[in-house]
Amino acid sequence: MDDQATDTDVLTAAVQHVTAALGGFGAMGHLSASASQGLHLVASGGLPRAVTRNWEDIRVTDSVAPARAFRTGEFAYASTANRPARNPSDPPHLSPAADVSARSAMAAVPLSGPDGPLGVLSVLLPVAEVPSAEQQTFLEEVARWAAERLRLAPPTPDGVSRALLGTSPDRARGQGPGETSTEFKFEFDVHANEVVLDERLLDAVGIDRETFDGRLATFDDYVHPDDLPWVMGDVEQALRTRGRADSEYRVRRSDGTYAWVRFRGRAVSRRGSKPTRLVGTMSYTTETHAALESVGHALAHMSDGFLSVDRDGRIGFVNVAAERLFGRPRDLVGRSLWEVPIVRKVPWLEERSRRAATAGVPDGFEVAWPGTDRWYHLRLVPIADGLTLYITDVTERRLREAESAAVERAAAERAAFIARLTRALAEAATTRDVTAAVAESVLPPLQATGLVILALENDRLDLVGSVGYAPAHLDRLHGMPVDAALEEVLRTHAPTFVESLDDLTERYPEAADFPIAGGKKAWALLPLVVSGREIGVVVVSFDHPRQLTEDERTLLTVFGGQLAHALERAHQYDVATTRARDLQRALLPRDLPALPAVTAAARYLPAGHGADVGGDWYDIIPLSADRVALVIGDVMGHGMPEAATMGRLRTAVRTLSDLELSPDDVLARLNDIVGELREESFVTCLYGVYDPTTQVLTYANAGHLPPVVARPDGSVSLLTFDPDPPLGIAAPPFGVHEVPLPDGSHLVLYTDGLVETPGHNIDEGLRHLTEIISAALADRGGPAGEPESLCNAVTAALLPAHRRTTDDTALLIARARSLPPNDIAAWVLPEDPTAAGQARRHVHEQFRLWCLDAELEMATELIVSELVGNVIRHATGPIQLRLLRSRTLICEVSDGSLTTPHIRHARATDEGGRGLQLVAAMAQRWGTRYTLAGKCIWTEQALGG
């Protein structure tokens, strides 16, 4: 509905809508200026005059549905449409046959305003049809719609300053330019229902004297229906406050047209009584309004917003465009502009308005309108009696300016595109780097949203890199065949630009399922060609149909050529890197052994950049008696020679460990090996042996970083014994260190890549490492107590994924587990032939304590008897027997001789020489290790069950 529709127009539309939608006989709309003035009929539809005349005026205290809805502010329903009490002086209604109210029910809802009900919307329905909840809701929604559009004021621009017409603001309100205003005596007597007026007023206005009977009700009939409620409100307020009334409104001429009049008067009463009379003058102001309406209509309907205020800042006029920004006129006119909530949110408006009015100088500025994405230019123009505000929407202009600036910026960015792309591709080493460089350098300037790089191998395309596509869609691109569109690009070595889905269908009608579409709307298909050989295709895609300019197409063609060479280099680099790292991993343990004495975890992290392999390594080697050798080393430098050296040394360490050599002897032999390489190789290495029966770590260190020990009491420390020089420049003997490792202790071995990073010296790295270990192990019951979790915590803190390192890193963490004392049994045996018998008795008694099976006992007694007998015959004392119950049963016989026993191949006629053959047959493993006092022959047997 038009923004300038009158209240009658609004209510007429409402009554017609509810009558049709609810299937009623008809509907009515009443308005009220105040509760004491009652309700006045403004619009009706579908009802004969015989019915509506009885509803023209309703007292608020009546019991009918409209009155109850107005009083309560809620939906009201009456099963019969009882007519309100009529004025006794009114003529009776027509015959009952014409009055449908006798067979109707009535439903009414209030027309609610911000300060209470403004009126009522009611509908006459068949008696049998009580409104449903949906119908009631519909009626309330229509009433809400109508209430929001009511003005309760004349539709003319009464607030337009006469200064806009060139009229002095001091001129009488009823006097226009060139107009002589005549004032006529006029008197209201509400109690007597009389109007006393100068009959010349009737002539001036155009009302036939013969039709006017002097009754107030008759005069009310002449007042425009839209104006009557608020006119009656002004009269009531003047009588109630014993004040003055000053109102301008429309009255109906005898020919049906309307004239404008202005009444100014005051309340009069007898002494001590309540005022019932208004005495004053009424003037004819139609000519002034005609001029104002002409100006007001132009202002009201111009595209720019317009608002005028007086000297006190009170709003006099708001046009339709300004109404959308500030609110409805009935909520604004007469109100201080600075009290309007939205005005308080507009930056600088009040300050600059006051300054413009004071200085009398126009001002203007642009602001973002609060709560919207629109921009407006506010033009402040002082006039004689106040200030006018012109509001122009400049959003489109600003958008155009922004777009123009964006185009200029884009042109400058495209000018630098080639330089940035060349630099980015030159620095990219891997295919992932190439993809990232393209995504950063190519997509933004072109406003592209997707990228797919496909490599051609064996007539199929494989995905190399992508940006802007869903993972589920990318699965289709692995090993995809070459379709018609991509085949043309590869065959012609020329790019193809597809501007839209329609363009794609037109070019390649057989490509119903375009694999690289991925929800995109436009594509640039670029061949990747190196030395005349097709290596793949790159697809740049857009979310919207896109017609590329010639400059952009040339740019993409150049980009395709550069990308092809960058990808070729990156592919070769990736292949070399993959091979190098595969070699590196092949030289390291695939899995750490599960051992009774330690629980271990390890990490190897290659350098963040470069195809060269490193020389870092680690190992865990099981020894006899559940002992464990823990090794970590670092061949200085990177490359294949260093990796080969690392592989040789790791193999040598395992071989030397099988010989049960002490840590210092192992490093001495490794030092000889490094020296024989005839290369300037420097190797750091730490070799330690943990014995779970003594809970002691014995180690030697050739130039390696100190290990970290975290004990069960929560203390974390570096084992800062002075290390020997690195292998290759060291001069044996190597120092041997013994460190207690109670059950549950953690031993952390690492290479320098973990603690020595760019920007941090090695001392800071060591301190940081101990702090991380201490924090990770603070919760002893948590998962960080496991070596695997501790490895994750250390590498995450010291080698986060986003940090590139220049050195590879090895990390080995082992948690010590001691052998319980009740699983250890040892005896000293005499150096005489009775020793074998005593040994068998000790075994028998210990097996009873350990509840081991008889078959294993018999085999163990035989082994012990043979080993002790050999000592008596071929070696010297002291003789010791030790049994260890672990995952296997371990038997050890120690003596003071350094002679190494060997299995002999006895002839059939030999009486002896078969003892060790028998031991080897009955044990899973057996061997000899040297001790400080001599040697120890050990065997391992599987435990039963």
Side-chain angles (χ1 to χ4, degrees):
M1 178 169 284
D2 191 285
D3 290 330
Q4 291 299 299
T6 66
D7 292 349
T8 300
D9 296 334
V10 171
L11 290 178
T12 298
V15 299
Q16 291 174 350
H17 202 40
V18 298
T19 300
L22 300 183
F25 294 122
M28 295 178 289
H30 291 78
L31 294 178
S32 174
S34 65
S36 62
Q37 285 294 325
L39 298 165
H40 182 73
L41 181 65
V42 174
S44 64
L47 300 174
R49 175 63 176 165
V51 174
T52 59
R53 69 175 294 117
N54 296 292
W55 295 90
E56 288 180 349
D57 294 289
I58 305 174
R59 290 191 296 271
V60 176
T61 56
D62 285 344
S63 61
V64 294
R68 285 191 285 118
F70 185 84
R71 287 197 308 270
T72 64
E74 298 178 349
F75 173 82
Y77 177 75
S79 58
T80 59
N82 295 323
R83 294 188 295 274
R86 302 189 307 276
N87 191 318
S89 62
D90 288 347
H93 61 279
L94 299 179
S95 66
D99 187 3
V100 298
S101 60
R103 47 190 175 88
S104 304
M106 181 173 285
V109 291
L111 299 168
S112 301
D115 300 319
L118 307 173
V120 176
L121 178 64
S122 52
V123 58
L124 274 69
L125 301 168
V127 175
E129 297 183 11
V130 178
S132 63
E134 291 78 6
Q135 290 176 320
Q136 178 180 337
T137 301
F138 173 78
L139 187 59
E140 291 170 345
E141 287 297 326
V142 174
R144 185 179 299 110
W145 172 87
E148 290 175 351
R149 287 159 177 76
L150 292 176
R151 297 175 177 274
L152 298 181
T156 57
D158 186 53
V160 177
S161 172
R162 283 168 168 76
L164 296 174
L165 300 176
T167 304
S168 171
D170 298 327
R171 180 173 292 182
R173 183 175 179 185
Q175 188 174 353
E179 173 187 347
T180 301
S181 177
T182 303
E183 294 185 340
F184 304 97
K185 177 181 177 183
F186 196 94
E187 179 179 337
F188 289 104
D189 190 329
V190 178
H191 181 70
N193 192 25
E194 291 180 349
V195 174
V196 178
L197 53 77
D198 189 333
E199 292 186 345
R200 291 177 298 168
L201 173 63
L202 299 177
D203 298 334
V205 173
I207 299 175
D208 190 350
R209 295 188 181 189
E210 296 179 358
T211 62
F212 183 70
D213 58 6
R215 294 172 60 248
L216 181 58
T218 304
F219 185 78
D220 288 347
D221 288 340
Y222 286 106
V223 178
H224 194 287
D226 285 353
D227 301 349
L228 184 60
W230 64 266
V231 171
M232 296 173 65
D234 286 349
V235 172
E236 178 190 1
Q237 182 178 4
L239 293 173
R240 184 176 66 255
T241 61
R242 300 176 183 270
R244 294 183 175 274
D246 189 347
S247 56
E248 195 165 8
Y249 49 91
R250 294 162 291 178
V251 294
R252 177 169 44 82
R253 297 186 176 103
S254 296
D255 60 4
T257 61
Y258 284 90
W260 281 91
V261 296
R262 180 187 184 191
F263 171 72
R264 290 182 290 181
R266 59 186 177 84
V268 177
S269 66
R270 296 183 179 87
R271 181 174 299 178
S273 63
K274 181 179 179 180
T276 61
R277 297 169 56 226
L278 282 177
V279 177
T281 61
M282 185 173 288
S283 55
Y284 177 70
T285 60
T286 300
E287 284 79 3
T288 300
H289 264 274
L292 286 176
E293 284 176 2
S294 176
V295 175
H297 187 271
L299 293 175
H301 292 280
M302 68 180 183
S303 59
D304 291 347
F306 177 81
L307 183 147
S308 65
V309 297
D310 60 17
R311 291 190 180 96
D312 297 327
R314 298 194 177 279
I315 301 172
F317 176 76
V318 181
N319 77 343
V320 174
E323 183 179 334
R324 300 188 186 102
L325 299 175
F326 292 92
R328 294 175 297 182
R330 76 174 185 212
D331 300 328
L332 296 173
V333 173
R335 187 177 182 182
S336 173
L337 178 63
W338 324 124
E339 295 176 358
V340 178
I342 192 66
V343 173
R344 298 179 189 148
K345 300 178 182 179
V346 179
W348 316 303
L349 178 55
E350 180 176 358
E351 176 186 351
R352 299 183 73 156
S353 297
R354 294 184 184 278
R355 187 168 61 205
T358 302
V361 177
D363 191 9
F365 59 99
E366 293 183 1
V367 296
W369 201 255
T372 70
D373 57 355
R374 311 295 293 179
W375 279 81
Y376 293 88
H377 178 79
L378 306 184
R379 176 70 173 167
L380 307 169
V381 181
I383 57 176
D385 58 349
L387 184 74
T388 58
L389 174 61
Y390 296 85
I391 309 160
T392 304
D393 190 335
V394 295
T395 306
E396 300 303 325
R397 174 178 61 78
R398 291 180 67 94
L399 287 175
R400 288 193 299 271
E401 292 174 353
E403 290 174 358
S404 176
V407 169
E408 293 176 1
R409 287 194 301 270
E413 290 174 357
R414 284 194 295 270
F417 171 83
I418 296 297
R420 288 200 312 271
L421 178 61
T422 303
R423 182 171 59 253
L425 292 179
E427 295 174 354
T430 67
T431 53
R432 180 177 296 180
D433 296 338
V434 171
T435 302
V438 172
E440 181 179 351
S441 303
V442 177
L443 301 189
L446 296 173
Q447 300 176 354
T449 58
L451 172 74
V452 172
I453 301 175
L454 301 168
L456 179 64
E457 291 186 11
N458 300 324
D459 295 328
R460 300 186 77 85
L461 294 168
D462 197 27
L463 181 66
V464 173
S466 67
V467 174
Y469 284 84
H473 176 75
L474 297 177
D475 294 340
R476 302 177 55 198
L477 303 183
H478 290 284
M480 62 175 283
V482 180
D483 62 13
L486 301 181
E487 188 277 333
E488 179 182 351
V489 171
L490 291 170
R491 176 173 49 80
T492 62
H493 291 189
T496 297
F497 303 98
V498 182
E499 299 176 355
S500 64
L501 286 171
D502 292 339
D503 187 21
L504 176 66
T505 305
E506 182 179 351
R507 285 171 178 257
Y508 311 104
E510 68 281 4
D513 182 19
F514 192 39
I516 59 173
K520 306 298 183 180
K521 303 298 176 60
W523 303 266
L525 313 179
L526 310 174
L528 299 176
V529 181
V530 175
S531 301
R533 176 173 54 89
E534 305 88 6
I535 66 169
V537 177
V538 61
V539 181
V540 179
S541 55
F542 306 84
D543 280 344
H544 304 285
R546 181 80 153 83
Q547 184 175 7
L548 297 170
T549 64
E550 288 300 321
D551 290 342
E552 290 172 333
R553 295 188 177 199
T554 302
L555 208 61
L556 283 172
T557 303
V558 174
F559 154 65
Q562 290 188 330
L563 178 60
H565 288 85
L567 279 175
E568 183 73 1
R569 293 193 306 270
H571 176 69
Q572 296 173 358
Y573 179 88
D574 287 343
V575 170
T577 300
T578 300
R579 290 175 178 171
R581 291 182 177 173
D582 287 346
L583 172 62
Q584 179 79 54
R585 292 187 177 92
L587 295 173
L588 293 172
R590 291 184 178 274
D591 297 298
L592 295 179
L595 303 174
V598 294
T599 302
R603 295 287 186 276
Y604 174 78
L605 292 89
H609 205 62
D612 288 341
V613 294
D616 293 12
W617 94 93
Y618 59 86
D619 210 345
I620 289 184
I621 306 168
L623 304 177
S624 63
D626 271 358
R627 297 174 307 132
V628 179
L630 302 119
V631 192
I632 194 160
D634 184 2
V635 179
M636 301 302 175
H638 295 85
M640 296 302 292
E642 285 74 13
T645 299
M646 180 266 284
R648 294 174 186 174
L649 293 178
R650 178 169 175 255
T651 302
V653 168
R654 296 191 72 88
T655 301
L656 295 171
S657 297
D658 287 342
L659 297 176
E660 300 275 6
L661 298 179
S662 62
D664 55 327
D665 283 342
V666 171
L667 291 188
R669 302 292 179 89
L670 291 178
N671 186 65
D672 294 339
I673 294 173
V674 174
E676 292 173 356
L677 295 176
R678 297 180 182 180
E679 298 174 359
E680 293 184 357
S681 296
F682 299 98
V683 181
T684 65
C685 183
L686 186 149
Y687 182 92
V689 176
Y690 172 68
D691 190 339
T693 63
T694 62
Q695 302 181 38
V696 171
L697 171 71
T698 303
Y699 75 94
N701 187 351
H704 203 78
L705 292 171
V708 178
V709 173
R711 294 180 173 82
D713 61 3
S715 62
V716 179
S717 60
L718 288 167
L719 301 182
T720 55
F721 300 109
D722 291 336
D724 289 298
L727 303 177
I729 59 174
F734 290 90
V736 178
H737 312 284
E738 291 188 349
V739 179
L741 280 186
D743 186 78
S745 299
H746 287 78
L747 177 67
V748 181
L749 306 178
Y750 52 92
T751 58
D752 57 354
L754 184 70
V755 294
E756 190 175 21
T757 58
H760 299 82
N761 61 44
I762 198 165
D763 291 332
E764 292 177 351
L766 291 173
R767 184 173 61 255
H768 195 190
L769 173 62
T770 57
E771 291 172 353
I772 292 167
I773 294 173
S774 179
L777 294 175
D779 181 10
R780 301 300 298 178
E786 295 297 327
E788 191 71 31
S789 299
L790 187 55
C791 273
N792 291 336
V794 171
T795 54
L798 293 176
L799 298 173
H802 64 273
R803 182 191 299 172
R804 285 188 169 185
T805 60
T806 57
D807 196 6
D808 51 345
T809 300
L811 172 66
L812 175 63
I813 299 179
R815 185 174 65 181
R817 292 197 303 223
S818 63
L819 191 63
N822 59 356
D823 287 334
I824 304 173
W827 303 272
V828 176
L829 301 176
E831 297 182 41
D832 58 51
T834 63
Q838 290 186 25
R840 288 192 296 271
R841 285 194 298 273
H842 289 319
V843 169
H844 175 72
E845 293 171 356
Q846 192 63 40
F847 268 55
R848 291 182 63 187
L849 292 175
W850 283 347
C851 299
L852 299 178
D853 63 75
E855 184 178 351
L856 179 62
E857 178 184 348
M858 184 171 57
T860 306
E861 289 179 355
L862 180 59
I863 290 173
V864 168
S865 181
E866 288 294 333
L867 293 179
V868 172
N870 282 342
V871 172
I872 296 298
R873 286 191 298 270
H874 306 294
T876 61
I879 307 173
Q880 185 181 22
L881 170 65
R882 187 170 72 163
L883 297 179
L884 304 177
R885 183 177 62 174
S886 181
R887 291 184 182 178
T888 61
L889 178 66
I890 302 170
C891 298
E892 295 181 340
V893 175
S894 303
D895 60 51
S897 171
L898 297 177
T899 303
T900 302
H902 297 284
I903 296 178
R904 294 174 52 191
H905 295 284
R907 294 187 297 271
T909 58
D910 291 342
E911 295 182 359
R914 295 180 177 84
L916 288 181
Q917 290 182 358
L918 184 62
V919 169
M922 303 196 70
Q924 285 184 333
R925 291 198 311 153
W926 76 281
T928 304
R929 72 172 180 271
Y930 292 94
T931 65
L932 295 178
K935 70 176 181 296
C936 173
I937 302 176
W938 55 269
T939 66
E940 290 185 7
Q941 298 167 264
L943 290 172

